[in-house]
């Protein structure tokens, strides 16, 4: 119910959480942003203290009082220690490598303890996906958490809200804080596995030739990628190891190739066309072709290499994306 | 929260590892082992075996025992407790069962939640130790156990952390808890217990005088060197042979046992001027009886105390906790002269058909004397001339106990002497009664406190003489005069006494004196702290209205201050950026003031170059600062002069 209320009233949520997402740069968890409540174990502890107190009164045990009050003090100190374990951590994010839709984006979140003491058992959990990780941050050091967030659609995937929580040192209290760093991951369209079709038109010949030549001679193995054709997987090698490997072939000198939007059937939807184009980009890159990309209102001059492939895929990822 | 995966910090979701269990069982053992002296040995052993069993299961990765097996073990153990005590609903069996349950709880521990519950049970077991003893040593041992259990809880929260670091955290937590605990201890409104009826056997373990005296009773008691009470005098205390601490007065004799019989309340009247008067305070150990010991004769009564017709000071309720009271007494004075005729008749009553020889001796004394005091003098000299032995191990006496002591064995302890003397007096027609209490006590040269032990228990006689009232006669002193001068220690053979009481280990005695001085302070200031002392403290610090509301208000103020201090500690700036970083931040701030703000993703080189283009007048300085910073921060530059240069350049940077 509260969750729903906060979703409908973002300003209320911002006021309650103490920040307005997304937050740029390094986020320091000031005390204001660290919330703390007793855990169930904390209530059990309180009940134990109540029984100890009653017993001490009943039997007039001076040391019983001393024990009860000392444990009460431990509870109070434990509360401060729990908040301190989380407070003033600096949260920053690293670059998330682009992924294809359907894979998981690997967000790197850095937790800088910025303190002379260690901060054990801190949970970082991605609220949206439930991806979580518990780390110990050594004194004066940086802890790294990798949160795997499923990337469903192409475009920019924001990290979203991350929960940081700790129960150290006694487990009697739970301190937590939410952060929403301004981190995002580029998601390429899901590449269609079909190899390059026979496109018609101006660059048809080149496209065909490069594709054919690219399957000629076996040149080596490389790691399997999602977009690789199953026909190129080295199944014999895969049986010997845990990894899938893809056979690589070199063709003759690749010709200039245009991967053109207009080559695709108009009946196919936008996403399907982009998927097909992404598959082509991968295939062309694999084949070592010299290729360019044409989208309505956008043209990337032919080139090759990882940077060029990345630029093409980024153009596809962001094409008319919301 | 839609997270599908289990919450990894939930104690229910975390399995207890072998390390966790070793810590848990080790700290629980610290609490359970002191019980071994009081619980049946097999039960402590069984509890420890249950701990070991659980660790064994964990180490060899075999499944936990089935619920039925655990229940069977519990059932057998409870049966054993019942066989041992014939009940399970009293204090002692209850505590014993609690230790056993700690073992069973450990045995069924799977997750951290179970383990934490077992640790809380450990906290609970600490307090059961205090039901038996609250000495300094117990406090230290239990403080150790407290640290161990807290470390165990820390281990559960941080499974990957080194035990030494967890120990340090637990010690820090306890250290932080001490001020709050002290505030609570002093200011938490103390309610005088008990809140409900405590089990019948709750105070059975107390040793001390009772309302009856039979042959062998006191000589058994004096073998205990347990402390009965301590007294602290304003000024010089009276000499040892004058220190008669009055306890129960015994009137009725059935031929073997003397008992107090019904008590009638008396009106307290301050005695006349005696040879000396004393003011002192007594810290009385709990003895589960109502009487309060005072030097004969009391000149004033403590608050809420009652006074009986036979001169005993009584507390309002049985003394079940250590109690402190203020007294003043006068020595060498006489109590009121009158005694009710009924009481005088009671003081002459004798059982029929016992001790014929003593009866005859009494008749003989009566006939040969003109006055009562002459009879008393003759009886005393009879005892003196009879060469009676004073011994801790008197022979067992039969039906005619007085006859056998007086004429056959001629050896006994103070109860024999006083019993025989009072019997003789009554036989001779002089009203007499037995008074029990303590005599002497040891003066500690360190803190000048007199410690009276059970070994100082004594019995003497009082006779009623016309015109003088009740007069004390100590028949034991006639047989063993040194008993009064030097206490029991020199009056009976050395080998008969407890080790620490012997006179031949002087250094041991001095060590004991020091230790007892510390124990006394502990008793008065820690264990004896109650609602009364709380009031005293409050009025001492200037809080007049010392009702519970004032206490609670003060308590919350102090606790609030302590929490603020703790928060301040946790906010303490631990990590200051190094000088290079500070200089760079100052540089960025200066540029930002001129409108060249560094974007979060911008590296120092790009930023410096952009700033140099934007502010061409300071181009050289900006680029130099950028290069210096990169060298110091990311390069191999470790020369402190460079850091100094950087700071100077930033300071002198003028942007127009």
């Amino acid at each position: 119910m509260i969750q729903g209320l906060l979703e409908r009233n973002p300003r209320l949520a911002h006021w309650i959480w103490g920040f307005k997402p997304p937050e740029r740069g390094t986020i320091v968890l000031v005390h204001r942003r660290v919330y703390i409540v007793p855990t169930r174990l904390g209530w059990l502890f309180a009940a134990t203290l109540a029984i100890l107190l009653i017993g001490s009164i009943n039997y007039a045990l001076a040391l019983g009082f001393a024990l009860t009050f000392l444990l009460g003090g431990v509870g109070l100190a434990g509360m401060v220690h729990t908040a301190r374990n989380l407070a003033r951590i600096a949260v920053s994010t690293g670059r998330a490598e682009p992924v294809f839709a359907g894979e998981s984006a690997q967000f790197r979140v850095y937790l800088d303890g910025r303190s002379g003491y260690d901060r054990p058992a801190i949970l970082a959990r991605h609220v949206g996906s439930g991806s979580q990780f518990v780390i110990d941050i050594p004194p004066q050091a940086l802890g790294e958490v990798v949160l795997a967030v499923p990337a469903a659609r192409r475009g920019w995937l924001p990290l979203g809200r991350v929960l940081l929580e700790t129960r150290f040192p006694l487990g009697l209290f739970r301190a937590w804080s939410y952060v929403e760093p301004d981190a995002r991951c580029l998601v390429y369209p899901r590449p269609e596995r079909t190899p390059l079709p026979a496109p018609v038109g101006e660059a048809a010949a080149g496209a065909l030739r490069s594709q054919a030549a690219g399957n000629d001679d076996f040149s080596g193995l490389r790691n399997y990628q999602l977009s690789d054709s199953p026909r190129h997987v080295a199944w014999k090698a895969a049986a010997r190891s845990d990894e899938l490997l893809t056979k690589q072939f070199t063709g003759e000198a690749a010709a200039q190739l245009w991967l053109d939007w207009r080559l695709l059937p108009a009946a196919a939807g936008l996403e399907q066309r982009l998927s097909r184009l992404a598959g082509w980009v991968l295939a062309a890159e694999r084949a070592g072709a010299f290729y360019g990309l044409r989208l309505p209102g956008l043209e990337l001059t032919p080139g090759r290499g990882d940077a060029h492939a990345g630029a093409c895929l980024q153009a596809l990822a962001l094409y008319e994306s919301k | 929260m839609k997270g599908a995966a289990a919450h990894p910090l939930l104690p229910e979701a975390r399995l207890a590892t072998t390390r966790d269990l070793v810590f848990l069982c080790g700290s629980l053992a610290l609490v359970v082992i002191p019980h071994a002296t009081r619980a049946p040995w097999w039960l402590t052993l069984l509890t420890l075996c249950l701990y070991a069993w659980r660790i064994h299961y964990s180490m060899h990765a075999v499944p936990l025992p089935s619920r039925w097996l655990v229940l069977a073990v519990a059932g057998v153990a409870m049966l054993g407790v019942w066989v041992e005590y014939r009940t399970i609903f009293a204090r002692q069996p209850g505590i014993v069962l609690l230790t056993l349950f700690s073992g069973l709880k450990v045995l069924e521990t799977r997750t951290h939640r179970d383990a934490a519950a077992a640790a809380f049970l450990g906290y609970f077991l600490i307090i059961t130790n205090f039901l038996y003893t609250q000495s300094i040593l117990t406090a230290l041992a239990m403080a150790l156990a407290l640290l161990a259990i807290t470390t165990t809880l820390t281990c559960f929260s941080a499974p990957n952390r080194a035990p030494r670091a967890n120990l340090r955290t637990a010690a820090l937590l306890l250290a932080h808890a001490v001020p709050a605990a002290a505030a609570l201890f002093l200011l938490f409104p103390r309610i005088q217990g008990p809140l409900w009826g405590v089990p019948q056997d709750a105070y059975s373990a107390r040793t001390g005088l009772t309302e009856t005296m039979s042959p062998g009773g006191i000589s058994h008691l004096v073998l205990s060197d347990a402390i009965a009470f301590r007294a602290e005098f304003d000024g010089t205390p009276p000499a040892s042979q004058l220190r008669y601490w009055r306890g129960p007065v015994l009137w009725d004799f059935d031929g073997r046992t003397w008992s107090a019989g019904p008590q009638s309340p008396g009106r307290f009247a301050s005695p006349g001027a005696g040879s000396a008067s004393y003011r002192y305070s007594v810290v009385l150990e709990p003895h589960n009886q109502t009487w309060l010991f005072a030097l004969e004769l009391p000149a004033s009564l403590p608050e809420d105390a009652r006074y009986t017709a036979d001169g005993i000071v009584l507390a309002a309720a049985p003394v079940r906790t250590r109690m402190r009271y203020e007294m003043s007494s006068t020595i060498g004075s006489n109590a009121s002269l009158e005694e009710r005729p009924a009481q005088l008749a009671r003081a002459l009553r004798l059982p029929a058909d016992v001790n014929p020889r003593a009866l005859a001796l009494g008749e003989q004394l009566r006939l040969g004397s003109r006055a009562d005091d002459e009879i008393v003098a003759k009886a005393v000299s009879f005892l003196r001339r009879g060469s009676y032995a004073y011994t801790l191990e008197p022979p067992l006496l039969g039906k005619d106990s007085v006859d056998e002591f007086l004429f056959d064995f001629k050896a006994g302890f103070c109860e024999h002497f006083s019993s025989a003397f009072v019997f003789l007096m009554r036989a001779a027609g002089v009203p007499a009664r037995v008074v029990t209490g303590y005599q002497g006590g040891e003066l500690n040269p360190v803190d000048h406190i007199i410690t009276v032990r059970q070994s100082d228990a004594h019995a003497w006689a009082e006779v009623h003489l016309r015109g003088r009232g009740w007069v004390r006669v100590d028949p034991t002193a006639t047989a063993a005069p040194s008993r009064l001068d030097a206490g029991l220690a020199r009056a009976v053979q050395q080998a008969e006494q407890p080790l620490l009481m012997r006179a031949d280990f002087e250094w041991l005695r001095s060590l004991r004196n020091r230790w007892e001085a510390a124990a006394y302070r502990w008793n008065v200031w820690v264990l004896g702290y109650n609602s009364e002392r709380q009031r005293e403290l409050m009025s001492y610090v200037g809080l007049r209205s010392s009702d519970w509301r004032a206490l609670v208000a003060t308590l919350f103020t102090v606790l609030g201050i302590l929490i603020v201090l703790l928060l301040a500690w946790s906010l303490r700036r631990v990590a200051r950026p190094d000088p290079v970083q500070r200089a760079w931040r100052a540089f960025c701030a200066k540029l930002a003031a001129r409108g060249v703000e560094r974007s979060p993703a911008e590296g120092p080189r790009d930023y410096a170059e952009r700033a140099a283009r934007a502010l061409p007048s300071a181009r050289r300085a900006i680029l130099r600062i950028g290069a210096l910073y990169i060298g110091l921060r990311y390069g191999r530059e470790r020369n402190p002069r460079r850091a100094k240069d950087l700071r100077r350049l930033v300071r002198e940077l003028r942007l127009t």
Side-chain angles (χ1 to χ4, degrees):
Chain A
M1 192 186 85
I2 293 173
Q3 202 79 23
L5 188 72
L6 291 182
E7 272 164 22
R8 280 196 302 280
N9 302 290
R11 282 183 61 189
L12 178 67
H14 299 162
W15 179 76
I16 286 183
W17 302 132
F19 63 91
K20 191 170 163 223
E23 303 167 273
R24 295 179 166 279
T26 304
I27 307 159
V28 177
L29 298 183
V30 290
H31 268 73
R32 153 96 172 81
R33 294 179 57 163
V34 177
Y35 305 92
I36 187 160
V37 290
T39 57
R40 232 189 306 163
L41 209 58
W43 290 115
L44 185 65
F45 184 74
T48 309
L49 285 195
I51 297 171
L52 285 178
L53 182 65
I54 291 170
S56 302
I57 292 174
N58 206 45
Y59 286 94
L61 291 175
L63 288 188
F65 280 115
L67 172 73
T68 312
F69 296 150
L70 198 57
L71 286 177
V74 166
L76 276 185
M79 180 176 75
V80 174
H81 279 239
T82 305
R84 167 181 178 253
N85 201 37
L86 203 56
R88 296 167 69 181
I89 286 183
V91 183
S92 53
T93 46
R95 186 180 136 77
E97 293 297 324
V99 292
F100 291 97
E103 296 179 341
S104 278
Q106 308 287 315
F107 283 100
R108 281 166 205 286
V109 178
Y110 300 101
L111 305 178
D112 189 351
R114 303 196 314 151
S115 54
Y117 48 90
D118 62 335
R119 298 166 179 271
I122 290 176
L123 166 77
R125 181 217 277 268
H126 185 253
V127 175
S129 66
S131 158
Q132 56 193 3
F133 204 81
V134 179
I135 59 161
D136 299 331
I137 307 176
Q140 300 286 17
L142 203 65
E144 184 191 14
V145 181
V146 180
L147 296 174
V149 179
R153 287 200 310 271
R154 68 183 178 89
W156 285 113
L157 173 70
L159 171 57
R161 187 171 294 170
V162 174
L163 167 77
L164 296 170
E165 182 185 322
T166 185
R167 297 180 183 216
F168 181 82
L170 293 177
L172 307 181
F173 289 91
R174 160 176 180 263
W176 79 97
S177 184
Y178 285 107
V179 290
E180 198 165 334
D182 183 24
R184 52 184 193 171
C185 177
L186 187 62
V187 182
Y188 299 146
R190 185 193 300 263
E192 202 173 288
R193 286 174 179 219
T194 48
L196 288 168
V200 287
E202 44 189 306
L208 272 176
R209 201 167 50 241
S210 89
Q211 207 258 343
N215 286 325
D216 269 353
D217 305 315
F218 176 71
S219 70
L221 292 169
R222 63 162 174 76
N223 283 335
Y224 172 78
Q225 288 171 349
L226 199 61
S227 51
D228 287 344
S229 161
R231 277 188 289 152
H232 289 176
V233 171
W235 294 110
K236 280 181 191 165
R240 286 194 298 270
S241 72
D242 290 340
E243 281 178 299
L244 281 182
L245 297 172
T246 303
K247 287 183 274 194
Q248 267 193 310
F249 302 92
T250 51
E252 56 188 59
Q256 187 163 313
L257 172 67
W258 279 101
L259 306 175
D260 197 329
W261 172 268
R262 283 169 298 163
L263 295 179
L264 293 166
L270 171 69
E271 296 301 324
Q272 202 186 338
R273 284 189 188 190
L274 290 172
S275 285
R276 184 77 51 91
L277 281 170
W280 284 358
V281 168
L282 291 178
E285 181 63 31
R286 203 162 52 241
F290 205 68
Y291 59 95
L293 178 69
R294 276 202 192 113
L295 292 170
L298 185 87
E299 184 175 299
L300 289 175
T301 49
R304 69 159 67 135
D306 286 346
H308 182 65
C312 293
L313 289 168
Q314 176 164 3
L316 294 171
L318 300 180
Y319 181 72
E320 283 188 7
S321 95
K322 288 152 275 179
Chain B
M1 234 167 283
K2 293 168 288 232
H7 192 306
L9 292 188
L10 270 187
E12 291 91 331
R14 294 150 72 112
L15 292 178
T17 62
T18 305
R19 191 187 85 157
D20 297 335
L21 288 166
V22 166
F23 267 89
L24 178 65
C25 295
S27 50
L28 283 177
L30 283 180
V31 191
V32 166
I33 285 174
H35 276 298
T37 53
R38 301 172 287 250
W41 63 269
W42 60 266
L43 215 132
T44 311
L45 197 65
L46 175 63
T47 309
L48 294 178
C49 283
L50 290 177
Y51 296 163
W53 194 10
R54 180 64 185 89
I55 292 176
H56 169 81
Y57 269 119
S58 177
M59 281 172 75
H60 298 92
V62 283
L64 284 178
S66 77
R67 193 148 287 244
W68 292 111
L69 188 56
V70 174
L71 277 178
V73 171
V76 167
M78 281 175 83
L79 196 69
V81 170
W82 191 82
V83 166
E84 196 85 30
Y85 294 98
R86 296 281 151 194
T87 172
I88 53 172
F89 295 111
R91 191 184 67 162
Q92 176 69 23
I95 291 170
V96 161
L97 278 178
L98 210 56
T99 60
L100 180 71
F101 286 156
S102 77
L104 293 171
K105 181 74 198 164
V106 165
L107 195 58
E108 63 151 31
T109 289
R110 277 153 228 269
T111 63
H112 276 157
R113 192 189 144 71
D114 302 325
F120 291 172
L121 189 60
Y123 284 140
F124 205 84
L125 282 171
I126 289 182
I127 212 170
T128 58
N129 273 310
F130 296 150
L131 285 170
Y132 297 99
T133 161
Q134 301 191 72
S135 66
I136 297 179
L137 284 179
T138 310
L140 289 176
M142 290 302 112
L144 191 68
L146 183 63
L147 178 64
I149 297 178
T150 312
T151 308
T152 306
L153 279 177
T154 315
C155 281
F156 297 161
S157 301
N160 303 322
R161 210 158 167 246
R164 183 190 285 256
N166 284 334
L167 179 67
R168 207 174 330 115
T169 301
L172 190 63
L173 273 170
L174 283 171
H176 282 164
V178 165
L184 281 161
F185 189 83
L186 293 176
L187 297 173
F188 187 85
R190 292 297 182 91
I191 306 158
Q192 215 67 35
L195 299 176
W196 65 85
V198 291
Q200 285 300 308
D201 66 339
Y203 304 104
S204 64
R206 311 287 188 220
T207 55
L209 292 174
T210 57
E211 287 184 313
T212 60
M213 181 184 86
S214 49
I218 290 184
S219 46
H220 181 70
L221 187 61
V222 297
L223 287 178
S224 151
D225 60 358
I227 289 165
F229 57 90
R230 294 181 171 95
E232 189 175 17
F233 281 82
D234 297 350
T236 322
S240 174
Q241 63 267 31
L242 294 176
R243 295 199 293 260
Y244 280 87
W245 307 92
R246 192 181 181 88
V249 176
L250 312 178
W251 294 81
D252 303 329
F253 187 49
D254 66 355
R256 182 172 178 80
T257 303
W258 289 89
S259 52
Q263 271 168 355
S264 47
R267 204 159 43 78
F268 179 74
S270 201
S275 55
S277 49
Y278 298 92
R279 294 185 54 76
Y280 54 98
S281 63
V282 175
V283 177
L284 179 63
E285 298 293 316
H287 55 50
N288 202 28
Q289 307 279 2
T290 49
W291 48 74
L292 306 176
F293 298 97
L295 271 187
E296 291 180 336
L297 299 156
S300 69
L301 291 184
E303 252 179 82
D304 297 334
R306 292 178 291 125
Y307 194 67
T308 64
D310 44 13
I312 318 171
V313 185
L314 293 178
V319 180
R320 285 173 176 164
T321 57
R322 194 172 282 105
M323 170 181 182
R324 183 191 164 96
Y325 52 89
E326 304 289 331
M327 286 293 305
S328 60
S329 290
T330 304
I331 283 182
S333 169
N334 277 346
S336 61
L337 304 182
E338 293 103 51
E339 182 60 277
R340 283 176 299 148
Q343 289 296 90
L344 285 180
R346 195 178 164 202
L348 285 171
R349 210 170 291 149
L350 284 177
D353 305 331
V354 289
N355 304 319
R357 283 182 282 174
L359 273 176
L361 179 63
E363 298 282 316
Q364 197 187 322
L365 289 173
R366 161 93 276 171
L367 293 174
S369 318
R370 274 157 296 161
D372 283 356
D373 48 356
E374 204 180 323
I375 299 174
V376 173
K378 278 183 176 165
V380 167
S381 69
F382 173 83
L383 285 176
R384 186 179 296 132
R385 276 183 283 106
S387 63
Y388 288 87
Y390 184 65
T391 173
L392 269 178
E393 287 165 352
L396 283 175
L397 300 179
K399 178 167 146 282
D400 296 324
S401 59
V402 173
D403 275 3
E404 285 170 35
F405 166 69
L406 279 178
F407 305 106
D408 301 340
F409 299 118
K410 294 199 170 189
F413 202 61
C414 57
E415 71 258 38
H416 301 89
F417 284 93
S418 56
S419 169
F421 183 81
V422 172
F423 190 94
L424 275 183
M425 286 301 103
R426 289 187 177 187
V430 181
R433 60 192 183 190
V434 173
V435 182
T436 58
Y438 297 90
Q439 204 285 319
E442 188 183 11
L443 181 71
N444 188 332
V446 178
D447 56 1
H448 302 287
I449 283 166
I450 290 176
T451 305
V452 178
R453 297 164 185 284
Q454 298 301 347
S455 56
D456 294 312
H458 193 46
W460 58 94
E462 274 183 345
V463 293
H464 191 266
L465 300 178
R466 202 164 300 118
R468 288 174 63 190
W470 289 102
V471 176
R472 180 177 68 219
V473 180
D474 190 348
T476 315
T478 61
S482 61
R483 167 71 176 85
L484 300 195
D485 300 333
L488 175 76
R490 290 196 174 84
V492 296
Q493 255 99 50
Q494 295 279 322
E496 288 183 49
Q497 301 165 26
L499 180 70
L500 280 179
M501 298 299 301
R502 291 198 211 162
D504 49 354
F505 294 114
E506 273 309 321
W507 60 272
L508 209 58
R509 278 172 83 91
S510 100
L511 196 69
R512 189 168 58 100
N513 284 337
R514 266 163 216 292
W515 173 249
E516 276 179 2
Y520 177 75
R521 297 282 152 222
W522 171 257
N523 287 345
V524 170
W525 294 110
V526 181
L527 303 186
Y529 190 82
N530 54 16
S531 49
E532 204 174 310
R533 308 228 93 190
Q534 201 165 40
R535 260 203 304 279
E536 278 172 30
L537 178 80
M538 293 303 278
S539 63
Y540 182 76
V541 298
L543 272 169
R544 275 296 152 71
S545 59
S546 56
D547 64 343
W548 65 271
R549 260 164 281 159
L551 277 175
V552 169
T554 318
L555 177 61
F556 275 99
T557 314
V558 173
L559 284 184
I561 292 171
L562 287 176
I563 290 180
V564 166
L565 285 177
L566 262 182
L567 275 175
W569 166 82
S570 80
L571 279 167
R572 204 167 35 126
R573 213 187 169 81
V574 192
R576 281 178 73 78
D578 62 311
V580 172
Q581 192 63 23
R582 258 183 299 169
W584 174 252
R585 284 194 192 159
F587 171 70
C588 293
K590 273 189 172 178
L591 290 180
R594 302 294 306 164
V596 188
E597 214 162 322
R598 193 172 78 91
S599 78
E602 197 169 22
R605 188 192 307 272
D606 293 349
Y607 181 49
E609 279 169 5
R610 188 161 66 86
R613 279 197 303 278
L615 303 162
S617 61
R619 186 172 178 278
R620 281 190 53 151
I622 289 173
L623 288 179
R624 173 98 184 101
I625 288 172
L628 268 176
Y629 176 68
I630 290 166
L632 284 163
R633 178 91 173 139
Y634 303 102
R636 295 183 177 279
E637 186 62 77
R638 290 288 174 272
N639 190 346
R641 288 246 298 281
R642 292 282 163 276
K644 217 175 265 178
D645 285 351
L646 174 70
R647 294 215 298 276
R648 187 177 48 79
L649 276 171
V650 171
R651 206 168 46 240
E652 290 170 358
L653 180 65
R654 294 283 174 272
L655 302 170
T656 47

